[in-house]
Amino acid sequence: MDFKRIITFLLTVIVTFGVIAWTSPTLVKNIKLGLDLKGGFEILYVAEPIEAGKDVTKDALVETARSLEKRVDAQGIAEPEITTEGKDRIRVRLATGDADEEAIRKTLKKPADLTFRDPSGKVMLRGNDFVEGGASVGYNETSQPLVQIKLKDASKFEKVTGDLIGQTLGIYLDEEQISNPGVSSAIPGGVATITGSFTYEEAKSLADTINLGALPLKLTEKYSQSVGASLGQLSLEQTVKAGLIGSVLILIFMLVFYRIPGVIAAICLITYVWLLLLVFDWMNATLTLPGIAAFVLGIGMAVDANIITFERIREELRSGKSLLSSLKAGSKHSFRTIMDAYVTNIIASAVLYYIGNGAIRGFALISILSVLLSVITNVFLSRILLSLLIKGKAFNKPSYYGVKEGEIRGL
């Protein structure tokens, strides 16, 4: 027995599994779930110009998507997926969990167009006259909450208020009048104030709404889909349960049917799954049901790679070759078959990624990653570990590799 190779094999396995055991809880905890697993909703908006007769430009569509993303961020929703599609569509996918879906939908579509108007309804100041994100909560001399808004041009506000001395200056959010204070003198300083019987929460909500600003385009819901948080959690639990049962059965099959190569396959499959989780975490990706489907498909292909290699090795053993010769010949002859299947999968996944969107792209990306990581673990790592055991001469009997001596033609 070559103790050096056996010890190298054991150290490789112990270190690998030690790293896996140490990092896996953090990796699993860091996985971000998509709306189909966490619960949430998806909306496809059709964009139209605010003013009739104008076109929906690409820049306006992108700017509207950015505005929607800011509104989602303001709601504290992590990892929103907001993409433009075609010439006039925006798709929004939000994993909201137990959050109030209806309130979020209203906030997404709300124009939040702030205007200051004279008593005749003439607009004196528009939203673009105010500093972006310049609305905040303040207090008057009686500690009553109010909303303060900074103006870009202080002299313009002073002139407007100077022209309206003795009259009112109505403050409107969209078409709703939220305040109608009287003007007793010109107001310098460039800070407008919205007063009313606000609580702090109401004043804060109004300031946040003003800070969101107006959307460049008008949005109409074309399609929507909701997944309840409990349904998403149930889907996740059932998927994980099915995945664990399937994985255990596969490992048992490999161990019973292929024996020593089955042990190598189990080590490589566990390493492969860990590497996939590691890359997933590194990419800061979001896991969805199609992603899990690609994940399971990748495991199936990884098992296939091992089976093809081990069957070829067994065939070489049955022809009368030595263990080491069988390993070299079996690995060589199986490599092309495995790579043909993997390249085919990568081509199909690349096409899906190019023409697809959202969940389809996620499926395609995980499928490609699965193939690349499978080559590293279930082709090269598997051969290295098996080579160490065979050259270590600790398991020399053909029966350790699932071949009976009576099946060997050369004996």
Side-chain angles (χ1 to χ4, degrees):
M1 182 185 295
D2 187 336
F3 288 101
K4 185 178 178 181
R5 285 193 168 89
I6 296 299
I7 291 174
T8 302
F9 171 83
L10 291 175
L11 282 177
T12 303
V13 174
I14 291 171
V15 171
T16 302
F17 274 50
V19 173
I20 291 173
W22 179 44
T23 57
S24 291
T26 303
L27 293 178
V28 172
K29 185 180 176 182
N30 289 345
I31 291 177
K32 289 188 286 294
L33 303 178
L35 72 90
D36 50 1
L37 295 175
K38 184 179 179 181
F41 62 92
E42 174 183 1
I43 304 174
L44 179 63
Y45 288 114
V46 175
E48 300 174 82
I50 298 292
E51 297 180 22
K54 292 191 175 181
D55 296 326
V56 176
T57 64
K58 183 68 178 176
D59 289 342
L61 197 64
V62 172
E63 185 60 33
T64 303
R66 286 177 184 161
S67 297
L68 287 176
E69 191 165 352
K70 288 180 182 176
R71 294 181 176 206
V72 172
D73 288 341
Q75 300 288 315
I77 300 170
E79 302 300 326
E81 186 181 330
I82 301 174
T83 55
T84 60
E85 295 182 5
K87 296 179 179 178
D88 61 352
R89 299 191 176 195
I90 297 176
R91 187 178 297 275
V92 178
R93 293 169 60 88
L94 303 177
T96 56
D98 293 325
D100 188 346
E101 177 185 331
E102 194 56 36
I104 295 170
R105 292 166 80 109
K106 285 181 179 177
T107 302
L108 285 177
K109 286 185 63 179
K110 201 166 188 176
D113 188 14
L114 180 68
T115 55
F116 281 31
R117 306 178 188 181
D118 67 11
S120 68
K122 181 182 177 183
V123 176
M124 308 301 290
L125 295 168
R126 291 188 175 278
N128 55 9
D129 288 316
F130 302 97
V131 174
E132 187 175 349
S136 60
V137 178
Y139 297 90
N140 62 14
E141 59 276 4
T142 61
S143 300
Q144 175 69 38
L146 48 81
V147 177
Q148 297 174 322
I149 315 171
K150 295 179 181 177
L151 285 101
K152 295 178 181 174
D153 187 350
S155 61
K156 184 176 182 179
F157 185 56
E158 186 174 2
K159 183 178 185 310
V160 168
T161 52
D163 292 342
L164 293 175
I165 292 175
Q167 302 180 61
T168 59
L169 181 60
I171 303 172
Y172 291 77
L173 194 60
D174 304 330
E175 292 305 317
E176 180 185 357
Q177 187 183 74
I178 55 176
S179 182
N180 192 32
V183 181
S184 56
S185 62
I187 303 175
V191 177
T193 302
I194 302 175
T195 58
S197 302
F198 300 129
T199 62
Y200 174 81
E201 287 74 20
E202 291 171 339
K204 179 71 167 55
S205 175
L206 178 57
D208 290 343
T209 302
I210 293 171
N211 285 333
L212 289 176
L215 291 175
L217 298 171
K218 179 183 176 183
L219 299 179
T220 305
E221 286 189 17
K222 180 74 174 177
Y223 158 86
S224 66
Q225 179 186 23
S226 298
V227 177
S230 57
L231 181 59
Q233 185 63 33
L234 181 63
S235 299
L236 178 62
E237 290 174 358
Q238 291 180 338
T239 304
V240 171
K241 185 177 179 181
L244 288 175
I245 292 173
S247 298
V248 170
L249 290 176
I250 288 171
L251 292 179
I252 291 174
F253 168 78
M254 296 297 289
L255 291 172
V256 171
F257 201 73
Y258 290 100
R259 303 180 188 182
I260 291 297
V263 173
I264 301 297
I267 294 170
C268 293
L269 285 172
I270 293 171
T271 307
Y272 158 80
V273 172
W274 173 76
L275 273 178
L276 199 53
L277 290 176
L278 184 67
V279 173
F280 215 72
D281 181 60
W282 174 70
M283 292 175 60
N284 202 25
T286 300
L287 186 65
T288 62
L289 278 176
I292 292 178
F295 197 91
V296 174
L297 179 63
I299 292 177
M301 292 193 68
V303 173
D304 275 350
N306 282 293
I307 289 177
I308 290 170
T309 302
F310 299 155
E311 283 295 339
R312 289 295 309 187
I313 292 173
R314 289 168 68 165
E315 285 299 318
E316 299 295 338
L317 275 175
R318 291 189 183 104
S319 70
K321 291 182 180 177
S322 67
L323 270 175
L324 188 56
S325 297
S326 298
L327 170 65
K328 291 179 179 177
S331 300
K332 179 182 177 183
H333 293 145
S334 63
F335 183 75
R336 182 168 180 176
T337 305
I338 294 170
M339 292 311 296
D340 283 349
Y342 281 179
V343 169
T344 304
N345 185 283
I346 287 178
I347 292 173
S349 299
V351 173
L352 279 178
Y353 187 85
Y354 180 74
I355 65 174
N357 55 56
I360 295 176
R361 279 191 164 190
F363 174 89
L365 183 61
I366 293 180
S367 185
I368 292 172
L369 288 174
S370 299
V371 169
L372 297 177
L373 294 177
S374 184
V375 171
I376 295 172
T377 54
N378 296 290
V379 177
F380 294 112
L381 179 62
S382 173
R383 291 178 186 180
I384 291 171
L385 294 179
L386 197 53
S387 176
L388 284 172
L389 280 184
I390 290 175
K391 291 179 178 177
K393 300 177 182 176
F395 303 96
N396 289 329
K397 293 182 180 178
S399 58
Y400 290 148
Y401 300 85
V403 177
K404 297 177 182 176
E405 293 193 359
E407 297 175 337
I408 301 174
R409 292 190 290 273
L411 295 178

